[in-house]
Amino acid sequence: MAGSGLFQAGSADTQTPATITELRVEDVSAAVTFILGGAASGKSAFAESLCFSSGKPKAYWATSQIFDDEMREKVAKHLAQRGADWTTHEEPFDAAKALGDLQDGQICLIDCATMWLSNHLLADHDLEAETETLLQAIDACRAEIVIVSNETGLGIVPENALARRFREAQGRLNIAIAARAQTVVQVTAGLPLVLKGSLP
């Protein structure tokens, strides 16, 4: 995928993308790959393709909770898209539980960090504490991780306080994960743009 001419952003100067990447990233082993995008941007499909192409045993941390038929249909669609050769961990809250048993040589898709954050927000949990727990679980995980998350900061300021709180928390979470990730990719209209690191 890196060979398709993707622009690897890192500076506004006239250096080549490869040079910029070399200056910004010391380790591009991609132990953590972070995939950002808007709703229906193709980010999940792109993240899944990275896991398929890795050739590693695949795990999936499903963070969603099924409360209605719409979500049930969405989950079923994703299950069919992924196929049967995934080990699925359905865990809406506990990051350590979802990631703690993964082993070297595996790859885990977390889809998605936004749903995980929403679960904690609606449960009135301490978002700062839960975010720290998630980051610690990511740091401790022995498997390669691909994390999907929504970019929610490109629209207008929400009119209600809960939505504004969520948007701020999502932005802070995205910044924290991106800082830890070796590779960060923005997906728009199904097209990946490498923001940090490189793709295999």
Side-chain angles (χ1 to χ4, degrees), residues 41-57:
S41 62
K43 60 187 181 299
S44 291
F46 180 74
E48 288 168 7
S49 74
L50 292 181
C51 294
F52 279 115
S53 65
S54 74
K56 297 179 179 181

Side-chain angles (χ1 to χ4, degrees), residues 166-185:
F166 168 74
R167 189 181 69 158
E168 291 298 319
Q170 180 70 77
R172 289 193 296 271
L173 177 62
N174 287 346
I175 290 170
I177 295 174
R180 280 168 163 74
Q182 284 74 36
T183 304
V184 180
V185 181

Side-chain angles (χ1 to χ4, degrees), residues 153-170:
L154 300 179
I156 63 174
V157 177
E159 66 177 3
N160 68 83
L162 181 63
R164 290 194 296 272
R165 183 185 175 206
F166 168 74
R167 189 181 69 158
E168 291 298 319
Q170 180 70 77

